[in-house]
């Protein structure tokens, strides 16, 4: 979701720039430009509140997955996909898009097929697919065959496609509000001391229970040597709060815990000396932007996407990979070894920084503009 929002912000910034270049004195509004946006989400999805805050027009369709679904659920899910396809055709017929942008997920497949089968003013909408993880999932591989262009976070992703296509390596589009902060300001924001190294720990928007619990067990040892910013997610928030309350007063002041950070995440990444996190696609864009050395713990109960992401950064000297099953045995020593070896952390940080692509959102926005201006291929 966040990569798509970053690209939409880049498109909106293009509109503002064109508006200003016309030397008009009227304030810019989205309705005043040439850009019309419609976000299609799944019924009951999590996007509605965030998109409302961003003032993005939003609609929904029925959606369901079929990969890895049991036989009992499969008929119902297939019916949901058919309903989603019918709803998507109706939306596309009414909205008449010139270009469609997908970042993955089973919801995108019926929408993409609906776009391919429509005849809109004798032109079909062009399709741009962005691949956030290094290894594309089943939905993205399906979408890629329907696309006019495929944007990739890294070049290695080409190895996972069985066909040649119009690939473009753009990097991972990082959301605009994830800004690098002055370390003094970031330190004040989290009430940190400059005399101790700072460890940042998080497991994604929902949190990661195994990481949370492993960290709680290590707090008495870690907080003697460092201060910790812990973004726990809502799932374990009560457990984490209780752990903080049970710490001795002198250590409790070094433990800064939050269920979630959004606006202040850039400050947390700016002030951290080391991060412990899962290895979702965002680590390929956000950690390089901040040049932040990492201990990455791939999520073990899904396909290997996070493992591939983590190994990519490890191979380039930017991260250390630790398996989820080894947290209790090796997390403490791995953190200590890196925190106490500043030279190694600096080398890892430089390797991470060399992978940064801060203009990725603008690059993908340029690809979308290019697709709009492509000659029509007529009826599909």
């Amino acid at each position: 979701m966040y990569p798509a929002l970053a690209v939409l912000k880049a498109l909106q910034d293009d509109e503002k720039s064109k508006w200003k270049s016309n030397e008009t004195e009227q304030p810019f509004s989205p309705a005043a430009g040439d850009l019309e946006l419609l976000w299609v989400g799944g019924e009951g999805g999590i996007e509605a509140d965030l998109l409302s805050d961003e003032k993005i027009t939003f609609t929904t369709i029925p959606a369901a997955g079929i990969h890895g679904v049991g036989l009992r659920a499969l008929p119902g899910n297939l019916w949901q996909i058919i309903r989603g396809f019918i709803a998507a055709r109706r939306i596309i017929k009414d909205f008449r898009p010139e270009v469609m942008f997908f970042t993955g997920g089973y919801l995108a497949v019926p929408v993409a097929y609906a776009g391919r089968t429509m005849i809109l003013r004798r032109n079909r909408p062009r399709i741009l697919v962005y691949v956030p993880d290094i290894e594309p999932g089943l939905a993205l591989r399906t979408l890629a065959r329907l696309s006019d262009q495929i944007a990739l976070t890294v070049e290695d992703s080409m190895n996972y496609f069985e066909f040649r296509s119009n690939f473009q390596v753009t990097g991972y589009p990082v959301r605009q509000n994830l800004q690098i902060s002055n370390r003094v300001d970031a330190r004040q924001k989290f009430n940190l001391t400059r005399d101790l190294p700072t460890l940042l720990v998080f497991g994604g928007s929902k949190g990661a229970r195994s990481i949370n619990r492993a960290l709680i067990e290590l707090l008495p040892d870690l907080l003697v040597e460092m201060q910790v910013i812990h973004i726990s997610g809502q799932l374990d928030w009560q457990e984490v709060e209780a752990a903080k309350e049970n710490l001795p007063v002198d250590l409790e002041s070094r433990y800064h815990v939050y269920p979630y950070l959004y606006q202040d995440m850039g400050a947390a990444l700016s002030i951290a000396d080391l991060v412990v996190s899962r290895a979702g696609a965002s680590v390929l864009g956000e950690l390089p932007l901040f040049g932040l050395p990492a201990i990455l713990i791939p999520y073990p109960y899904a396909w290997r996407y996070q493992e591939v992401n983590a190994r990519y950064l490890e191979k380039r000297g930017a991260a250390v990979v630790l398996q989820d099953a080894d947290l209790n045995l090796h997390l403490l020593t791995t953190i200590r070894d890196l925190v106490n070896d500043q030279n190694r952390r600096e080398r890892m940080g430089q390797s991470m920084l060399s992978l940064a692509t801060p203009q990725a959102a603008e690059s993908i926005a340029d690809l979308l503009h290019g697709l709009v201006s492509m000659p029509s291929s007529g009826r599909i």
Side-chain angles (χ1 to χ4, degrees):
M1 182 174 181
Y2 287 126
L5 278 175
V7 173
L8 294 187
K9 287 291 188 183
L11 290 169
Q12 290 171 335
D13 285 348
D14 287 343
E15 289 294 295
K16 291 179 183 178
S17 297
K18 286 189 286 185
W19 185 260
K20 290 179 180 178
S21 67
N22 291 331
E23 298 182 353
T24 178
E25 295 182 358
Q26 298 178 352
F28 174 80
S29 68
D34 296 328
L35 179 65
E36 294 182 70
L37 299 175
L38 177 64
W39 187 295
V40 180
E43 292 178 350
I46 63 173
E47 305 104 318
D49 291 341
L50 182 56
L51 294 175
S52 176
D53 293 340
E54 300 288 344
K55 296 181 173 58
I56 294 172
T57 305
F58 175 71
T59 191
T60 63
I61 65 170
I66 57 173
H67 182 60
V69 172
L71 291 177
R72 181 175 297 180
L74 186 59
N77 284 18
L78 287 171
W79 174 238
Q80 286 289 87
I81 291 172
I82 294 170
R83 290 181 60 226
F85 173 79
I86 295 169
R89 279 180 59 90
R90 183 170 60 252
I91 290 168
I92 293 170
K93 181 179 179 181
D94 293 339
F95 187 66
R96 297 177 177 269
E98 293 176 279
V99 64
M100 302 168 69
F101 177 49
F102 300 103
T103 61
Y106 53 76
L107 170 92
V109 175
V111 181
Y113 272 106
R116 273 292 190 179
T117 59
M118 295 296 292
I119 305 168
L120 306 173
R121 300 174 184 168
R122 299 188 61 80
N123 298 333
R124 65 166 175 84
R126 302 292 177 180
I127 293 177
L128 173 63
V129 170
Y130 166 62
V131 182
D133 290 291
I134 294 172
E135 181 177 6
L138 177 62
L140 275 170
R141 292 200 300 272
T142 302
L143 291 169
R145 294 187 177 278
L146 304 175
S147 67
D148 297 285
Q149 196 158 39
I150 303 171
L152 306 174
T153 298
V154 302
E155 187 174 357
D156 286 28
S157 291
M158 293 183 193
N159 299 328
Y160 294 94
F161 292 93
E162 301 85 10
F163 56 92
R164 299 182 64 85
S165 186
N166 190 7
F167 294 111
Q168 182 71 38
V169 179
T170 61
Y172 182 96
V174 174
R175 51 194 169 98
Q176 286 186 338
N177 67 343
L178 199 68
Q179 299 293 328
I180 298 174
S181 296
N182 178 283
R183 286 183 65 87
V184 174
D185 294 339
R187 190 178 295 116
Q188 290 177 347
K189 186 176 292 293
F190 294 105
N191 194 28
L192 302 172
T193 175
R194 62 180 302 171
D195 301 326
L196 289 170
T198 301
L199 175 70
L200 172 64
V201 182
F202 64 94
S205 58
K206 295 182 179 180
R209 173 156 289 171
S210 59
I211 295 177
N212 289 339
R213 289 182 172 173
L215 180 68
I216 288 171
E217 291 295 319
L218 302 180
L219 285 174
D221 296 306
L222 290 175
L223 294 173
V224 172
E225 306 173 36
M226 65 195 74
Q227 51 204 342
V228 176
I229 300 173
H230 181 194
I231 306 168
S232 68
Q234 291 288 354
L235 184 64
D236 297 321
W237 177 240
Q238 291 183 340
E239 187 175 341
V240 170
E241 272 194 314
K244 180 176 174 66
E245 292 172 359
N246 290 330
L247 288 169
V249 174
D250 58 329
L251 298 184
E252 187 270 342
S253 64
R254 297 179 177 181
Y255 183 45
H256 308 268
V257 62
Y258 307 88
Y260 185 65
L261 284 180
Y262 183 67
Q263 296 294 342
D264 292 333
M265 191 63 188
L269 291 165
S270 295
I271 196 60
D273 297 293
L274 177 69
V275 63
V276 174
S277 80
R278 290 294 192 207
S282 63
V283 303
L284 301 170
E286 294 178 0
L287 302 189
L289 181 66
F290 291 84
L292 185 55
I295 299 171
L296 298 177
I297 305 162
Y299 182 63
Y301 303 113
W303 188 239
R304 62 190 181 197
Y305 311 117
Q306 290 201 15
E307 181 76 22
V308 174
N309 295 339
R311 295 298 178 186
Y312 175 86
L313 294 176
E314 182 183 55
K315 184 178 179 181
R316 284 149 183 82
V320 172
V321 178
L322 190 62
Q323 296 303 319
D324 197 85
D326 296 331
L327 285 175
N328 293 332
L329 288 175
H330 300 303
L331 182 58
L332 178 60
T333 55
T334 306
I335 291 173
R336 275 179 168 165
D337 288 348
L338 285 171
V339 166
N340 294 325
D341 192 341
Q342 183 175 349
N343 290 334
R344 185 183 178 192
R345 281 191 288 107
E346 288 178 352
R347 291 194 301 271
M348 291 172 66
Q350 287 300 316
S351 298
M352 190 71 84
L353 191 62
S354 71
L355 302 172
T357 53
Q359 300 302 314
E362 289 78 8
S363 297
I364 295 175
D366 288 343
L367 294 179
L368 289 168
H369 283 300
L371 287 178
V372 170
S373 62
M374 280 180 62
S376 169
S377 61
R379 185 185 180 103
I380 297 299

